[in-house]
Amino acid sequence: MSQALPEGDPDYAHRVAKNGFRNRARRCACRAGRGVAEPALVLHHTLQDPELPSWARSVIYGALGYFLTPWDAAPDFIPGVGYSDDLGVLTAALATVAAHVNPAARGRAREQVERWLGGAVRSEA
């Protein structure tokens, strides 16, 4: 049974985009581990700030897009190396927008990583 698209619902695209991000981010986070997932989620939660300048939004969207794309400088499926470039991009984005990242965004990211990954710690061998 297919569900009809809600015509005239201005929030539909936003909800779909938000749910799509969460689903893809969760899959990537489980593969990449806490060290990559948490910076991505800090950036994602920082986007919720309505006062965030447009240049900072652009930086964050670019970094999150890179993280969610499996084919990048070091393809994500390569063991041990695949997410290292993603971590670099996320770290650079966090450094760039650091003045706009608030403790609440960091706390929500930490809680979400804990829900997704639990107490599992990824070995960095």
Side-chain angles (χ1 to χ4, degrees):
M1 180 174 152
S2 70
Q3 186 176 12
L5 293 178
E7 293 186 31
D9 182 354
D11 293 327
Y12 179 74
H14 174 72
R15 283 196 314 272
V16 169
K18 189 174 181 179
N19 290 338
F21 171 80
R22 283 189 181 151
N23 292 338
R24 290 189 67 190
R26 185 173 185 171
R27 283 193 306 271
C28 289
C30 289
R31 287 190 301 262
R34 182 180 308 275
V36 177
E38 194 165 324
L41 288 168
V42 168
L43 290 171
H44 171 69
H45 289 296
T46 299
L47 283 172
Q48 311 310 311
D49 180 0
E51 309 251 336
L52 188 67
S54 59
W55 68 264
R57 281 186 196 285
S58 297
V59 168
I60 292 171
Y61 281 129
L64 292 177
Y66 189 88
F67 171 59
L68 295 176
T69 303
W71 300 99
D72 45 36
D76 297 339
F77 62 84
I78 299 174
V81 184
Y83 284 99
S84 60
D85 60 323
D86 297 82
L87 179 58
V89 168
L90 293 169
T91 301
L94 269 174
T96 302
V97 301
H100 300 285
V101 176
N102 61 46
R106 289 189 186 279
R108 285 192 307 271
R110 215 171 295 116
E111 290 170 7
Q112 194 164 359
V113 166
E114 197 60 36
R115 279 193 310 274
W116 285 358
L117 303 178
V121 177
R122 182 174 181 236
S123 91
E124 300 290 330

